[in-house]
Amino acid sequence: MTQFVSVRAMPSADSRLIAAVCAAHLMSHYYLLMLAPLLAFVRADFQVSYTQLALALTVFNVVSGVLQTPVGFLVDRIGARVFLIVGLALSSAAFAIAGLFNSYWVFIAMYGVAGLGNTVYHPANYSLLSHHSPPERLSHIFAFHTFAGMLGSAIAPVTLLAMQSYFGWRGAYIGAAIFGLIVLAVLLAQPEPPAEHRRAGRSGKGRSSAAVGWHLLIAPAILLNLAFFVLTSLMGNGLNTYLVVALGALHATPPAIANLALTSLLAMNAIGVLAGGVLAGRIRQHALIAGSGLTVAGVVTALIGIFDLPAEALIGLTGLSGFCVGATYPSRDMLVRAVTPPGAFGTVFGFVSTGFNIGASIAPIIYGMLMDHGRAPFSCCPLR
C-alpha cells in the first residue's frame, strides 16, 4: 500500500510547516510567471519595446543567480524559516510597488528586489523539508513541494489575466502581492518545531555549517548535480518556449494542435512529479530513475522532431515526454540530499539550483539561434 499520503501521520506542527513551505514554493513559481501573460499590457502602459521590458527578467535572473549560493550559506548559519519569511515578504512587496508606481525604472528595480527575494526559496525550502520530514517520507514530500511550484505556474496566467480584465495589469500585480502576503501570514503562524528527523545539530546553524565552505561546492558530486540542473533547465526551457513554433515550422502543425501538445507536456510533467515521488520512495536507485526517465524523454522528443505524427500520437508522445521528465524530479532532489553533509542543505541546494538560472539565461540564445538557422530545437532535421 502506498505511503504517499502518510504525511498525515507526521506530527501536526511539522506537517503544517511543510504545507506552508509548499505554499511559499507555489507563490515563488507564480511570481516567476507574473510578466509573461501581462507583457503586452505593461509594454503599452510604459510605451517601451519588448527588449526594454525584457530587462526586468534579465535583472531578476542575474540577481537571483549571483546571490542564491551566498544566501544558501546564510540559511545554514542563521536559520531557514527566517530567510523564507524575509524572501516572501520582499517578493510580495516588490510586486506591489511595481504595480503602484508609474515608473519604468521603478518597475525594473523592483524586479531586482524580487530576484533577491527569489534567492531564498530553494535553499530555505529544501533545508526545512530535509529537517522536518521523516527520511522514509522525504521523496514524497519533495514531490509535493515540486508539484506545488508547478501548480503555481499553472494558475498564474488565468488568474492574472482575470485580475487584469477587472483592475488592469497594475491591479493584477497588487492582487498577486496580496496572495503572497496571505501565504506569508500562514507561514508566520507556523513556528518551527524541534526537528525530530535531523541527522545532526540545529537547523544548519553553528559548527556544522561552519565546517563547510566553498570547497564543498567544487566536489565532483555537487558539480554533477549542478550540471544536471543546468541540462534539465535547458531542455525544459527549450520545449516550453519553442515547442509550438518549432512544430509549426518543422511539420506545419496547426497552432491549436501544437498548443494542445504543449498543454499535454506540462500537465503530464506535473503528474509525473507525483508518480516520481512514489517511485523514489520505493526504489532507492535514484540515479537509475533519473537517468532512465531522461533517456526515455530524450528518445521520445527526438521522435517528435523526426516524424510528422498524427495529432493524437503527437499529443500522447509530448505527454509521455513530460511525464518521464517530471518523474525524475524527486529522485533528482534525493540525489542532491544524498551528497549533502548535515547542516549544509541550504548551501548545496542554493548552489545547484543556480542551474535553473543558468539554463534559463542561455536557453533562449541557443534555441533562438537554432530557429534562426532553420533547425528545430528538438530535431536534427532542417525546417521547412
Side-chain angles (χ1 to χ4, degrees):
M1 190 168 110
T2 182
Q3 296 176 321
F4 200 79
V5 296
S6 58
V7 68
R8 295 175 184 171
M10 294 171 54
S12 58
D14 281 327
S15 60
R16 287 196 300 268
L17 179 63
I18 288 169
V21 169
C22 290
H25 194 221
L26 182 151
M27 284 309 308
S28 75
H29 279 247
Y30 191 98
Y31 285 152
L32 288 173
L33 265 288
M34 283 282 289
L35 186 56
L38 303 173
L39 189 65
F41 305 105
V42 179
R43 175 177 174 269
D45 194 0
F46 285 134
Q47 297 183 335
V48 295
S49 67
Y50 285 116
T51 302
Q52 288 173 301
L53 201 51
L55 178 61
L57 299 178
T58 300
V59 169
F60 179 95
N61 278 294
V62 168
V63 170
S64 187
V66 169
L67 296 180
Q68 188 165 259
T69 299
V71 167
F73 279 106
L74 293 174
V75 163
D76 288 330
R77 292 176 182 275
I78 298 173
R81 180 175 172 271
V82 64
F83 271 89
L84 184 56
I85 289 170
V86 171
L88 185 54
L90 278 175
S91 298
S92 302
F95 289 116
I97 293 171
L100 286 169
F101 285 81
N102 185 24
S103 167
Y104 165 75
W105 289 111
V106 169
F107 187 85
I108 298 298
M110 288 305 101
Y111 262 83
V113 175
L116 177 60
N118 185 67
T119 61
V120 310
Y121 294 114
H122 282 107
N125 287 7
Y126 281 109
S127 180
L128 288 168
L129 295 180
S130 294
H131 288 142
H132 293 279
S133 305
E136 67 275 12
R137 311 287 191 265
L138 189 57
S139 62
H140 303 157
I141 291 169
F142 278 169
F144 280 128
H145 176 258
T146 301
F147 180 80
M150 292 181 169
L151 182 62
S153 298
I155 66 175
V158 63
T159 55
L160 287 167
L161 287 172
M163 288 189 287
Q164 190 281 328
S165 68
Y166 286 101
F167 310 111
W169 76 263
R170 296 182 183 279
Y173 266 66
I174 295 169
I178 292 172
F179 292 160
L181 293 175
I182 292 171
V183 174
L184 178 62
V186 172
L187 184 61
L188 285 168
Q190 308 305 323
E192 185 173 1
E196 299 176 5
H197 311 293
R198 288 179 187 162
R199 291 187 291 179
R202 289 265 320 155
S203 87
K205 302 178 196 175
R207 68 183 183 203
S208 292
S209 61
V212 299
W214 288 95
H215 66 278
L216 169 67
L217 303 181
I218 61 174
I222 303 298
L223 293 177
L224 280 173
N225 278 286
L226 173 65
F228 189 94
F229 275 68
V230 172
L231 292 174
T232 53
S233 177
L234 281 170
M235 179 182 181
N237 276 279
L239 286 175
N240 295 352
T241 305
Y242 290 97
L243 180 66
V244 172
V245 293
L247 284 172
L250 184 62
H251 299 310
T253 304
I257 300 299
N259 275 291
L260 280 175
L262 177 60
T263 301
S264 175
L265 183 144
L266 295 174
M268 293 304 294
N269 190 240
I271 294 172
V273 168
L274 297 179
V278 176
L279 190 63
R282 294 181 175 181
I283 301 176
R284 300 301 179 184
Q285 289 80 15
H286 301 303
L288 177 63
I289 296 173
S292 300
L294 291 180
T295 299
V296 174
V299 171
V300 169
T301 304
L303 292 176
I304 293 169
I306 294 170
F307 298 106
D308 186 1
L309 300 166
E312 295 81 3
L314 173 64
I315 293 169
L317 285 179
T318 53
L320 176 60
S321 175
F323 180 90
C324 289
V325 173
T328 70
Y329 291 160
S331 291
R332 174 202 68 189
D333 295 338
M334 294 298 289
L335 285 170
V336 176
R337 190 178 188 275
V339 298
T340 303
F345 295 120
T347 300
V348 173
F349 274 103
F351 177 68
V352 299
S353 296
T354 60
F356 291 139
N357 300 105
I358 296 170
S361 297
I362 63 179
I365 299 171
I366 294 173
Y367 294 120
M369 289 175 63
L370 287 171
M371 291 295 295
D372 289 338
H373 287 81
R375 300 207 173 258
F378 45 81
S379 172
C380 60
C381 306
L383 301 177
R384 292 182 177 181

